[in-house]
Amino acid sequence: MNPVQTIETGVAGVGWITPLGDGISSVLTRIRNGTQATLHPDPPVGATAAPASRRVPAELVASVARDPRLRRSSAISLFAVSAARNTLHDAGNPPVSGSDTGLVLAVSSGGVVYTRRFYEGVLDTGPGAGSPILFPETVYNAPASHVSAALGLDGPSYTLVGDASTGIAALHLAARMIASGEVGRCLVVGTEEADPITGIAYSRCRLRTVFGEGAAALLLDPAAPLRITVSEPVTWFRRTGAAAALTAAMAPLPSPTAAFTGTTETALGRIEADTVLAAWPRTHQFALKNFLGESLGAAAMIQAAAAAVTAREAGTPAAITSIGINLQAGAACLHPPHPVRALGAD
Amino acid sequence: MNSGLRTRRVAITALGIVSPLGLGSEQNARALRLGTSGIRSLTRFDVSSCRSQVAGLADDFLPPPSPRLHLASAMTLAALAELRAADPAFAPSAAVIGTTSGGMSFGENFLRLARSGLRDRRAALWLANYPPQKPALDALASARWPIPLEIVANACASGSNAIGLAFRSIRSGQRRAVLCGGYDVVCELVFTGFDALQASTPDACRPFDRNRTGLALGEGAALLALEDMDSALERRAPILAEISGYGTATDNHHLTQPHPSGIGPRRAMERALADAALQPSDLGYINAHGTATPLNDASEAAAIQAVAPATPVSSTKGLTGHALGAAGALEAVFCVLALRDHFLPGNPMLKEPDPDCALHLVPGPSADVSIRHALSNSFGFGGSNASVILSSPS
């Protein structure tokens, strides 16, 4: 495998909204104390029971939901706008309107709630009776559109769709856009909403996964002191290649003090945990999905937000890793600008 | 605009296409010249109560896909086969592909199954092949290219956005060669969705016609091999055309409706021209987004009138339907074919030009004209606007 290329830029702000709340430090404290987000029973889909999932409390998006542009939007867009606003607040509310700020948004299932409801309406009432209110919000880039409108962005906007590693691909794309001079800075958002059909789908595939939802965002700015180095995602075709792909993605990164992994109680999750342990044996691993649920397109960005705050507060590197179910692996490291001592190099 | 962005030329060394006009470049070129429509009655699912009963379909041009493969994968693999046959030495270091729904019909199957409470051994297959990135991954696996993959889902601008991202990454020196393009398949959910918006036509798709009544959906897959020009020349790769410029703009007016002034499309075209260091008078042809909806055509016409009022314009969606995430890629290929074969696709479905869309519309099925530069527009839900400029190799 060829050496994986990396790209570095700065992180000026970070924000999120999760089933445990929207304050990053406070949520991480709760997680360190062992608090898991509450499991909410999900309704069945027709005659099929759905597993429970971890949901973002409705009160966290109540104010955003009153925005005229968003009052008919699905939760995925509310999460994205909330996380974006939290991020800008963290960055000191820099002016971002205009074409010099790009937007890259990562999703996986996208507007699955409205997609299911729309198609169920078609099945129940006939092909000619679909809801014109639900359908527009089913497009993958609806959240990006609402974020752009809410923040007054006019620059390049891209929605990337994929698996749980897509947030890392989004970070890499955003960093490339900055490096090429296409934009001066870039907001990267990962967002996802839970729906019973997703849980049913994974359980049919015998994947023991508790789903969550939420969003997280980073404002990338080359002038910011907190740095992020992102490895280009690595594609693999057979499960036997997953570990090698992640190892390759991790190889060029500085050894972190902490790693926020995408680990879950699945075979791929165990491969990821073992691979991180092998490459970074002294690194503390944090599997956020055990506390917040699997949030697919939002997952890697939630991990990145946690790593960013950890690196910022501790002054030591914090990494993220992900092996996506659809055959890509990725890694990134959040670190201070000064040269990093390798762990144990006394 | 940062002048550092313009450092390398980007060649198109090969392409592959499956569309309602046919399998492969030559069938598509012939159909474009003759103005042969690929839009026909839709029998894939029940549309008897829908506003529209037609679509541009591509499945007839392929052997029936194995049950394990979604039609989107089958089309993408067919397009890749043509591309690799034309340039066997093409070795991309990344792939950027656009789509809006991927294997959505498999998702529909699964939802129906879940509602019924029944079991079906095909369920795992549907779930594995439903994600929008799966056809692209199938293509990469077939070519044994374990390269980074970005799937762009910017609604109907996805294909052009994918091409633009690939172009930018090569021109800035970040990548040497990139596979790009788009795919989408007509599925019940999306078809009924456009029907619910009353955006689809109850009769024929007539872009820029005074009596246009809406769009016809379409499907297809198109891939382009982009490479740094110096690298392509060094290995004596065929040079079909080059990408000269790319422009994007976000229109925050409404989730599904463009601003009536056409400000989003206008900015995208202006930025593409600036990016290519070209004047509007340098353009020999505009392949319009031209969906035949009242709103799109009016807003796009306003934009073209403001930017390049004298440039010949046509919309090939009158023949193919609107292939959503694949549209920008299909139409980029059409532009390459036009440059190569010295013709302009016409507007064969046009009966009476809309006087409010006062454009220099290419009459009839096609026109024999040699041009140097062509611009392709793609505009989508969410205010996504993208314009790509393709040029004959100098």
Side-chain angles (χ1 to χ4, degrees), chain A residues 299-327:
Chain A
M301 289 305 298
I302 286 176
Q303 293 164 237
V309 167
T310 301
R312 192 163 67 184
E313 292 178 351
T316 54
I320 67 173
T321 63
S322 180
I323 298 180
I325 198 170
N326 288 126
L327 318 177

Side-chain angles (χ1 to χ4, degrees), chain A residues 1 234-250 267-272 275-276 322-325 327-330:
Chain A
M1 194 176 294
V234 182
T235 297
W236 49 278
F237 296 132
R238 296 182 188 279
R239 183 160 293 179
T240 51
L246 181 59
T247 301
M250 294 164 58
L268 265 183
R270 289 189 286 276
I271 289 174
E272 182 172 347
T275 303
V276 174
S322 180
I323 298 180
I325 198 170
L327 318 177
Q328 287 210 104

Side-chain angles (χ1 to χ4, degrees), chain B:
Chain B
M1 170 64 63
N2 187 331
S3 63
L5 284 175
R6 290 198 291 273
T7 59
R8 288 174 158 79
R9 291 169 63 193
V10 180
I12 302 171
T13 66
L15 47 82
I17 183 170
V18 180
S19 86
L21 302 187
L23 171 64
S25 304
E26 302 318 312
Q27 286 189 10
N28 275 267
R30 190 174 317 120
L32 285 173
R33 271 201 179 276
L34 298 176
T36 306
S37 174
I39 297 174
R40 52 188 166 84
S41 295
L42 180 58
T43 58
R44 196 173 287 175
F45 40 83
D46 178 19
V47 295
S48 57
S49 60
C50 292
R51 180 180 153 94
S52 176
Q53 274 110 40
V54 298
L57 302 172
D59 52 350
D60 274 0
F61 300 111
L62 294 171
S66 103
R68 302 183 65 83
L69 212 58
H70 193 271
L71 178 58
S73 291
M75 292 195 300
T76 306
L77 288 167
L80 182 64
E82 180 187 2
L83 183 150
R84 296 193 74 201
D87 186 5
F90 175 64
S93 56
V96 190
I97 308 292
T99 189
T100 65
S101 62
M104 179 60 75
S105 61
F106 281 1
E108 295 166 3
N109 294 349
F110 185 76
L111 179 58
R112 285 196 295 271
L113 183 69
R115 281 160 52 93
S116 72
L118 299 174
R119 292 267 168 177
D120 191 316
R121 285 188 296 178
R122 295 171 295 175
L125 201 72
W126 292 335
L127 293 172
N129 289 282
Y130 145 77
Q133 64 270 29
K134 189 58 164 57
L137 288 166
D138 287 340
L140 296 187
S142 79
R144 289 181 166 57
W145 289 333
I147 55 178
L149 170 65
E150 290 163 350
I151 301 293
V152 179
N154 272 16
C156 310
S158 299
S160 291
N161 284 138
I163 293 170
L165 278 178
F167 161 67
R168 283 260 166 85
S169 69
I170 296 172
R171 192 168 67 170
S172 63
Q174 293 169 347
R175 288 171 171 158
R176 181 189 53 79
V178 181
L179 176 72
C180 63
Y183 48 76
D184 256 323
V185 170
V186 173
C187 66
E188 184 176 26
L189 189 150
V190 176
F191 189 91
T192 54
F194 279 91
D195 211 76
L197 296 177
Q198 300 197 351
S200 46
T201 179
D203 43 74
C205 179
R206 302 186 189 285
F208 303 113
D209 194 283
R210 177 200 279 263
N211 300 308
R212 63 188 184 274
T213 52
L215 58 84
L217 284 181
E219 64 189 10
L223 297 173
L224 298 91
L226 301 193
E227 187 166 349
D228 171 86
M229 182 67 81
D230 290 342
S231 168
L233 290 172
E234 186 179 333
R235 68 177 180 89
R236 300 180 189 278
I239 310 294
L240 300 181
E242 36 181 316
I243 308 282
S244 302
Y246 169 59
T248 67
T250 301
D251 175 356
N252 292 321
H253 174 68
H254 188 273
L255 183 57
T256 59
Q257 296 171 13
H259 194 283
S261 70
I263 186 66
R266 175 177 174 172
R267 283 181 178 155
M269 288 190 283
E270 288 173 339
R271 288 169 180 169
L273 284 166
D275 195 46
L278 292 175
Q279 297 299 316
S281 56
D282 294 321
L283 291 176
Y285 168 64
I286 294 176
N287 183 291
H289 186 56
T291 58
T293 64
L295 290 178
N296 173 81
D297 288 9
S299 121
E300 183 174 12
I304 294 174
Q305 286 160 359
V307 177
T311 305
V313 177
S314 75
S315 170
T316 47
K317 289 186 174 72
L319 302 180
T320 62
H322 186 3
L324 304 180
L330 297 187
E331 290 153 16
V333 169
F334 295 160
C335 287
V336 173
L337 297 176
L339 291 166
R340 183 194 74 177
D341 296 348
H342 312 291
F343 76 100
L344 303 185
N347 293 281
M349 303 304 294
L350 189 66
K351 286 186 176 176
E352 185 181 353
D354 183 350
D356 292 334
C357 299
L359 301 173
H360 184 178
L361 295 169
V362 179
S366 61
D368 288 325
V369 178
S370 288
I371 60 170
R372 182 79 211 285
H373 306 287
L375 181 147
S376 178
N377 282 334
S378 295
F379 312 133
F381 283 3
S384 301
N385 297 282
S387 298
V388 178
I389 296 179
L390 303 99
S391 306
S392 58
S394 55

